[in-house]
Amino acid sequence: MADATNAIHDDGVSPNTMIANLHASRSCLDSVLRSSAVLDVAISGFDGRLSLRLAAITAVYDAVVPLHSQAVAAQALRTRIDRAVSPALSLLRGFSLVRSLQRRLLRLSPSAADPRRLIAYVNCVDSLHDAVAGVAAECEPAVQRLQEAVEFLSRTKATDRLRLYRLSEALAALQALYEDEVDAMRYEGVLDEALLLLQHECESLLLRLKHHAFGESDGLDLISKETDGSNLPHLGSSLQVEALRRMAQTLAANDCLDIAIDIFVTVRYRRAAQALMRLKPEYLRTYAPEDMDAMEWEAVEAAITLWIRHLELAVRMLFAAEKRLCHDVLGGLMGGAVWPECLAKIADRIMAVFFCFGEGVARSSKQPQKLFKLLDMFDALDRMWPDLAAVFDGEAGGDFRARFRELQKLVVHAAATAFWEFGLRIEGLQDGAPPPADGSVPKVVRYALQYLKCLTTAAYAGPMGRVLRTERTWRPELLSRPPEADGDQGLLGDAVRSILEALQRNVEAQRSRYGKKDRVLPHVMATNAYWYMYTRTRGTEVAMLVGEDTMKARYKSAAEQAAFAYQDAAWGSLVKLLDRGEAAGTARATTEEFMRGFDDNLRKHKSVYCIRDADLREQIGEAVAKAVVPAYAAFPHANAGASDGRAFPPPDSIRGLILQLFDAGREEGRKEAEGEGSSKGERERHRRRAEGSWSSEAPSRRKSQPNK
């Protein structure tokens, strides 16, 4: 205690002050306790009032809970109604747009003469189609949503029966509209009439697109023009093509694709056929393939010329233009799968007629005179192949390419057969008509040489070489032979050589058929024939192919040997008569015998023996004079009294008679040779002469071919 008191004293606070502070604190505590008691009484009173208010609030809550449920139900109903009404409103707007477009279509009047109006009409039809499609697409969702709303109201009883009945009637009406009116809008009514009008206008516009380049001619003027892909004639303007493209797309979008294709194919086939008919191809109707052999060859030949021109025009111009039109108009349909088939349908019947004619020619009899026209066909088909493969490409053009290739094979076979038939005919004539009675060049020799000269010209040598090469690949027995170094030219040279060899055998066979009555005539004929073969081929393509040295060694030598034999047979006996020494009386008789033989020779040479070639006559005359005149001049000197006072012609007269004999007809022979030489290079004249016939009789035919 003393320590506490000391501590207080040490802090500087007196005990009285501390007691006063304690009394003050006690007073505050009493005041707080009294206030708390008062507050406790007040709180107890407020608690009673609060309990009353909470009871009131609970009653209000119990009354408000049903209203909340009704609000939630009303919100759900509003959502159902909005979901049903929104599609219905959109459907009504679609119906309104359809009606508006229908009225607009009825006001428009498209015309094929005005592509712009057609395109505007197509745009309106497309808009109507889209609007009708939109209505058709919106009807079912609208009906479904309305059905859901009716079922909801019926299930929740959110409205009275009258309103529910009316809503059910609206639903039934909408369902009927969906089932009847929408189908009518799609397949009947204004849209259907518009599609029918588009079909008519499409046909009318297609008919307007004509092949104006095909005029009243045989087509030669068109072939002479350049017709590559860049300058092919266009069928219609860009606006016309665009109008056709839009119409085709619109028809296809409205389930009328088959109709659009049928219209396109029918009209374009008609226009293509009419374009070709303007070229007047009557031969395609006149010459049936099975009756080709019964026709006059000259007429068939003219028809082949036209056929080549017309087929080339059809491939390079007609169907190339039709292909472009098909692609431009129908290229957007079904991913581009439609237009190639349409082109094939357009060209099918027309190309079939061309193919049938060509096949008929190729399958007809393989007479030698047909070779040149067959080569014309082969060369033309060879030239046309790239164009045809380009026009009829892809799967749709496969049949055209296959049949064209088959026609090429038929023509190759026919040309090769006709050529070898030529050799067989020459061989067959060994047993045919009698040899020339005057010893002139046999007709078969003239024909064969002219035939070969024509065949080896630039116009036919190339095609014939390709034919022989192609035939070689088809014949296994020929593949074992070594290939010629010169290719096609080597093959043709071998073929020509085989014909010349057959011709030489023919000449020798005719030479042996003269008999023994006239020993001179066979040698005259052989000399004429071999000299003709040598001189008429000298410097020509025939000699270039066979070889100038070969021709000279074989045929000039043969002509010289035959001339020596002729000289010996005709004049050798007279020379031998003068060469033997005689007594005076006998010498005179010998001289008289010589003159009789000499006069007989002159007579025979003037009336029987014929040597037309001027150079040959001159050479033979000089050779005869050189053999006879010296012997005749020497005979009187070697045989005294040979004339015995009689006046015999002097040697110069004998020489003059001999030269005069062989000079007669020399000018005629020179003119003939010049006439034949002047025709060199004239393809048509060569071919005409080569296509003639050397005999009116049908020669025997052999089954074996000459060596190639």
Side-chain angles (χ1 to χ4, degrees), residues 235-425:
L235 291 174
S237 65
S238 57
L239 268 177
Q240 288 175 320
V241 173
E242 176 64 15
L244 286 170
R245 185 186 68 81
R246 292 292 308 279
M247 285 190 286
Q249 290 179 339
T250 297
L251 291 173
N254 286 274
D255 299 326
C256 298
L257 178 60
D258 292 342
I259 297 175
I261 291 174
D262 184 65
I263 292 172
F264 189 93
V265 170
T266 302
V267 174
R268 294 319 306 166
Y269 164 75
R270 190 188 315 167
R271 279 290 176 243
Q274 289 172 350
L276 286 175
M277 289 306 296
R278 287 201 293 272
L279 301 178
K280 300 178 181 178
E282 285 81 4
Y283 62 91
L284 293 176
R285 293 193 299 264
T286 304
Y287 300 101
E290 61 274 9
D291 300 331
M292 201 67 70
D293 286 330
M295 304 294 178
E296 291 291 335
W297 172 242
E298 289 75 11
V300 176
E301 184 182 23
I304 292 173
T305 301
L306 292 176
W307 177 83
I308 292 173
R309 295 176 187 172
H310 296 168
L311 179 59
E312 190 169 358
L313 279 174
V315 171
R316 295 180 61 193
M317 293 187 65
L318 184 76
F319 291 123
E322 290 292 343
K323 178 182 180 179
R324 174 178 290 179
L325 183 64
C326 286
H327 176 270
D328 292 345
V329 174
L330 306 176
L333 302 181
M334 295 181 65
V338 171
W339 72 268
E341 295 292 340
C342 290
L343 177 63
K345 291 178 181 179
I346 293 169
D348 183 46
R349 284 186 286 176
I350 296 175
M351 290 298 293
V353 175
F354 280 113
F355 286 141
C356 284
F357 180 87
E359 291 163 357
V361 173
R363 290 193 173 104
S364 63
S365 61
K366 314 301 187 293
Q367 298 174 0
Q369 65 267 24
K370 295 184 178 181
L371 174 62
F372 299 99
K373 273 303 169 186
L374 289 170
L375 290 177
D376 286 341
M377 292 176 64
F378 170 77
D379 192 41
L381 293 174
D382 214 24
R383 289 195 316 270
M384 276 186 272
W385 167 248
D387 294 316
L388 182 131
V391 171
F392 299 108
D393 56 351
E395 184 179 356
D399 290 341
F400 296 99
R401 298 194 303 275
R403 193 163 181 184
F404 191 89
R405 281 301 197 194
E406 186 62 30
L407 177 57
Q408 285 182 302
K409 294 178 182 178
L410 288 174
V411 172
V412 166
H413 175 72
T417 304
F419 178 77
W420 298 123
E421 180 70 15
F422 175 56
L424 290 175
R425 293 287 182 93

